[in-house]
């Protein structure tokens, strides 16, 4: 039995430079 | 074409995440619903859009036109951020 279809969705999250964790 | 090996996938608590690693222009992550996750997982081996559509038709209750349109849209988004590589890049 086939699964009910849901349209594919993606959320693309681009990190900002200040999100980079620095000791 | 296939998923760029510099992008790693992870699934936890039903949420599918694809994350870029070093050496990619895109720096971030992708959250996917189960259908988009199915497409991304299909890209882990060298494949084509039509092969992915065929797999979708086997798994889901969907018509070919809808599946083709949706797969093309997802792949275009992935390609735009460098998550999908083609031909000679894939080998």
């Amino acid at each position: 039995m086939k699964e009910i279809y849901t349209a594919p969705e993606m959320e693309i999250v681009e990190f900002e430079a200040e999100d980079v964790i620095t000791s | 074409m296939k998923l760029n090996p510099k992008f790693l996938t992870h699934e936890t608590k039903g949420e599918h995440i694809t994350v870029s690693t070093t050496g990619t222009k895109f720096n971030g992550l992708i959250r996917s619903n189960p259908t988009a996750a199915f497409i991304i997982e299909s890209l882990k081996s060298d494949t084509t859009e039509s092969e992915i559509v065929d797999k979708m038709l086997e798994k889901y209750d969907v018509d070919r036109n809808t599946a083709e349109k949706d797969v093309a849209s997802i792949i275009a988004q992935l390609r735009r951020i460098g998550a999908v590589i083609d031909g000679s890049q894939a080998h």
Side-chain angles (χ1 to χ4, degrees):
Chain A
M1 179 142 177
K2 293 183 180 180
E3 294 181 23
I4 296 170
Y5 184 71
T6 306
E9 290 179 1
M10 295 192 308
E11 180 191 6
I12 297 176
V13 181
E14 188 152 15
F15 298 147
E16 301 294 337
E18 55 265 32
D19 290 336
V20 175
I21 298 167
T22 302
S23 66
Chain B
M1 66 179 171
K2 66 183 295 189
L3 186 69
N4 185 336
K6 290 178 177 171
F7 283 74
L8 305 178
T9 62
H10 181 66
E11 190 155 1
T12 179
K13 295 178 182 173
E15 187 174 44
H16 187 280
I17 304 281
T18 305
V19 186
S20 63
T21 61
T22 54
T24 58
K25 284 181 183 174
F26 174 77
N27 178 28
L29 60 82
I30 307 158
R31 285 196 190 96
S32 310
N33 74 352
T35 318
F38 180 80
I39 295 170
I40 291 172
E41 290 297 320
S42 298
L43 285 162
K44 285 189 172 176
S45 54
D46 205 0
T47 187
T48 64
E49 269 189 41
S50 64
E51 280 180 0
I52 296 173
V53 169
D54 288 342
K55 286 182 185 174
M56 297 268 282
L57 294 173
E58 285 175 20
K59 184 177 171 70
Y60 295 106
D61 185 12
V62 61
D63 64 88
R64 180 172 287 276
N65 279 348
T66 302
E68 284 177 347
K69 180 171 62 70
D70 288 347
V71 168
S73 169
I74 291 294
I75 288 174
Q77 290 177 67
L78 292 171
R79 204 186 290 277
R80 200 157 44 234
I81 61 171
V84 167
I85 54 178
D86 288 297
S88 59
Q89 290 179 287
H91 298 289

